[in-house]
Amino acid sequence: MSEPVTGPAPLPAPSSNGAVRSRTLTWADPVETAQRLASMSGVEAMHALMRAEVPPPPIAALLEMWPIEVDEGRAVFGVTPAEFHYNPIGVVHGGMAATILDSAMGCAVHTTLPAGVGYTTLDLQATFVRPITRDTGPLRCEGTVLHRGQRIATAEGRVIAETTGKLVASGTSTCLITHAD
């Protein structure tokens, strides 16, 4: 019986050829940004983000994903898979696809909300159809609201490889509508 291994591996661990890569990230205070956006309707807030009138959330900088189209009840995000999205088995981690699905579906719900009303994801279901690699090319994720009630909203999303038009992942989401009571 082998001894258990504990703790994270020291990072970065060089590859067999000695290559090590690095990234530097910068971001603005996300709480301050959220406070500024709270006075806007959801669609106004998304448009302000897209016009760079407010800084993007840190998760967008971390994953290099961005909203590219927004209408009421619909949000489209884009990301180009890269090495920094990879897991240890040599493909993009499923969490990247789940995150872009959550972002597109959640922001689609957000576009239906008036100023001062928020949301949070209650449930996220993702189905991965094929592996994603850096060779897959740009991905486009469209989130669409299926139902928007007073307390609950549901949405669906699809992640498509732009170069082939093939589905790589899909999902559904349930969001809780939060009122500033």
Side-chain angles (χ1 to χ4, degrees), residues 27-98:
W27 63 89
D29 180 353
V31 174
E32 181 181 315
T33 300
Q35 290 168 343
R36 289 175 59 193
L37 294 175
S39 65
M40 302 176 197
S41 71
V43 77
E44 291 169 338
M46 290 303 302
H47 287 159
L49 282 164
M50 291 175 67
R51 290 189 301 260
E53 294 170 2
V54 293
I59 190 68
L62 180 65
L63 295 181
E64 294 185 2
M65 66 175 189
W66 311 103
I68 54 177
E69 292 178 34
V70 175
D71 299 304
E72 186 167 336
R74 179 177 168 271
V76 180
F77 277 67
V79 65
T80 300
E83 283 184 344
F84 61 84
H85 295 127
Y86 272 45
N87 62 24
I89 62 171
V91 296
V92 170
H93 192 282
M96 189 274 288

Side-chain angles (χ1 to χ4, degrees), residues 73-144:
R74 179 177 168 271
V76 180
F77 277 67
V79 65
T80 300
E83 283 184 344
F84 61 84
H85 295 127
Y86 272 45
N87 62 24
I89 62 171
V91 296
V92 170
H93 192 282
M96 189 274 288
T99 300
I100 197 170
L101 279 162
D102 188 39
S103 297
M105 293 184 295
C107 288
V109 169
H110 192 194
T111 65
T112 69
L113 303 177
V117 177
Y119 73 96
T120 189
T121 302
L122 286 176
D123 177 67
L124 172 68
Q125 191 274 318
T127 301
F128 309 106
V129 177
R130 57 182 38 89
I132 301 169
T133 70
R134 63 185 179 195
D135 298 328
T136 301
L139 300 175
R140 177 183 178 93
C141 180
E142 181 171 349
T144 307

